[in-house]
Amino acid sequence: MAPGDSPAIPIPVLTVLLFSFLVLSPAQAIVVYTDREVHGEVGSKVTLHCSFWSSEWISDDLSFTWRYQPEGARDAISIFHYAKGQPYIDEVGAFKERIQWVGDPRWKDGSIVIHNLDYSDNGTFTCDVKNPPDIVGKTSQVMLYVFDKVPTRYGVVLGAVIGGVLGLVLLLVLLFYLIRYCWLRRQAALQRRLSAMEKGKLHKAAKDASKRARQTPVLYAMLDHSRSTKAASEKKSKGLGESRKDKK
């Protein structure tokens, strides 16, 4: 090896390092989800939702931890912990007897409810989830804002307006198709009625033609009979006239 050259890594060692990076290290870290912010009124309650995604099955050692950082503070304090199927609620802090566990680990839900809100509850709430062996991942944070009266957000109003417009459009489309369906059904019924009438006229015309065809020989026979009778009577009257002339 020349002076100044770095030592080459043996191929077996490089293979082991590559295998450890691709196989032994976790392919995907646990992912935690919360709302970005929630609003509540003084004296009411609010739900802080927390869910997660993990590449592993739900472990018996699954745990949820909620921390609270007051508005303007630098440090966060633990206010709730769930482990081994049991919730552990802070019984000495600001949220004493105000936190309710409403999550369900079977559905990957670690939500809590905070009752009797106060202005001092404004701050950041952090949800941390561990699902051994999947324990690597970032926490998720939700901001809580407490008001005398929750303001109407622009997004809610816009969503309501858009929903109303879409509902009206849908109603108009349904009404249009209903009217069109009734009109087509009426046209079909009218067409069937006209077809039935035309068929009846054709049937009647055919029946009349057949009846006239049957009556024609009878008429000719009656005419021939009347002509024969007239000729016979004329001949008879002529013979009587001639016999009278002979007698004179």
Side-chain angles (χ1 to χ4, degrees), residues 43-176:
S44 66
K45 64 180 180 179
V46 69
T47 301
L48 303 181
H49 296 281
C50 178
S51 59
F52 71 95
W53 178 91
S54 175
S55 59
E56 301 291 336
W57 293 99
I58 298 177
S59 170
D60 292 336
D61 295 325
L62 173 69
S63 66
F64 295 93
T65 301
W66 280 94
R67 296 182 179 89
Y68 168 64
Q69 183 178 354
E71 192 173 29
R74 299 180 58 182
D75 298 326
I77 59 175
S78 177
I79 61 173
F80 176 84
H81 185 68
Y82 176 93
K84 300 292 184 180
Q86 293 294 329
Y88 301 92
I89 301 174
D90 178 22
E91 296 182 353
V92 295
F95 296 96
K96 179 182 178 181
E97 299 179 353
R98 293 201 293 138
I99 295 180
Q100 177 186 0
W101 164 250
V102 293
D104 189 343
R106 294 173 300 177
W107 298 98
K108 301 181 179 180
D109 183 9
S111 304
I112 60 174
V113 174
I114 300 178
H115 296 267
N116 194 21
L117 290 175
D118 191 76
Y119 294 115
S120 60
D121 297 334
N122 284 307
T124 304
F125 292 80
T126 303
C127 182
D128 185 18
V129 184
K130 297 290 186 290
N131 185 41
D134 194 358
I135 59 175
V136 179
K138 292 183 178 180
T139 59
S140 185
Q141 297 179 339
V142 53
M143 298 291 297
L144 172 62
Y145 297 97
V146 182
F147 302 92
D148 283 331
K149 184 177 181 180
V150 176
T152 302
R153 291 178 293 177
Y154 174 75
V156 175
V157 176
L158 181 61
V161 172
I162 294 176
V165 172
L166 291 177
L168 180 61
V169 171
L170 181 61
L171 180 62
L172 292 176
V173 171
L174 291 176
L175 183 62
F176 168 76

Side-chain angles (χ1 to χ4, degrees), residues 5 24 31 45 86 92 110 127 129 133 170 172 186 192 197 209 214 224 233-234 236-237 246:
D5 291 342
L24 299 182
V31 182
K45 64 180 180 179
Q86 293 294 329
V92 295
C127 182
V129 184
L170 181 61
L172 292 176
R186 183 176 180 182
R192 288 196 299 269
M197 292 176 63
R214 291 196 301 269
D224 290 340
S233 62
E234 288 178 353
K236 185 178 180 180
S237 60
D246 293 336

